[in-house]
Amino acid sequence: MTASPELDTSQLAATDVFRAFFRRQAATVAVVTAHGSRPVGLTATSLTSVSAEPPLLSFGVGTGSSSWPVLSTARHVGVHLLGEHQRGLATTFATSGVDRFAPPTRWRLGPESVPILEGVLAWAVCEVSARVPAGDHRVVIARVVTGDPAGAGRPLLYHQGRFNALRD
């Protein structure tokens, strides 16, 4: 078995291999929101289905994220699947130091006072079940309480460090 000719991995550190490995994985783009003294949110590409019974999902959040102080104590979170028409929204929630909820972001307070983004493919309000330490992140496990999976459009994906549309 020989190594790929495009990338000589013999000199890469484990962190570099890890980053290069996951750049090749296409991931769903989600935005996670919560409300403390103010609304917070972040773009997440680590969203995973955990269990159907009970309905659990998970996502990772860096403890250095500006949203972490609110997410670290929030009882409920909003999880939103973005459509390919929402690259700008994904970028906004991935950008540090900006008001992510200022126009042109369209949102409202939903169940459990969770910020709900308008125009997404699907959203769910979830009750946080656990925050599991994982390096410089926490894996948040949450139970879906309510939501709306009926938005129109195709999913936004993250691949090779860029937001992409799904191709047939």
Side-chain angles (χ1 to χ4, degrees), residues 10-153:
S10 63
Q11 300 302 312
L12 292 177
T15 301
D16 296 327
V17 171
F18 176 84
R19 288 183 175 143
F21 179 90
F22 278 103
R23 275 189 207 105
R24 292 183 176 266
Q25 177 187 8
T28 302
V29 179
V31 168
V32 176
T33 60
H35 201 287
S37 60
R38 61 181 172 50
V40 299
L42 60 101
T43 299
T45 56
S46 58
L47 183 66
T48 305
S49 167
V50 174
S51 168
E53 265 318 307
L56 298 174
L57 57 78
S58 71
F59 59 89
V61 58
T63 56
S65 162
S66 61
S67 298
W68 176 244
V70 172
L71 288 169
S72 70
T73 61
R75 187 166 174 212
H76 292 89
V77 296
V79 180
H80 308 79
L81 298 180
L82 300 190
E84 63 187 8
H85 62 287
Q86 295 178 305
R87 291 176 195 216
L89 190 61
T91 299
T92 295
F93 278 85
T95 303
S96 199
V98 301
D99 182 353
R100 297 169 177 150
F101 291 89
T105 301
R106 296 181 358 249
W107 66 283
R108 63 183 169 78
L109 283 180
E112 305 296 339
S113 297
V114 170
I116 302 297
L117 301 175
E118 300 291 333
V120 296
L121 294 185
W123 61 266
V125 170
C126 305
E127 183 176 18
V128 175
S129 301
R131 294 172 185 88
V132 181
D136 61 354
H137 279 60
R138 295 297 180 268
V139 176
V140 178
I141 301 172
R143 181 179 56 83
V144 174
V145 176
T146 189
D148 182 356

Side-chain angles (χ1 to χ4, degrees), residues 1-10:
M1 181 172 266
T2 61
S4 169
E6 306 96 41
L7 181 63
D8 177 11
T9 59
S10 63

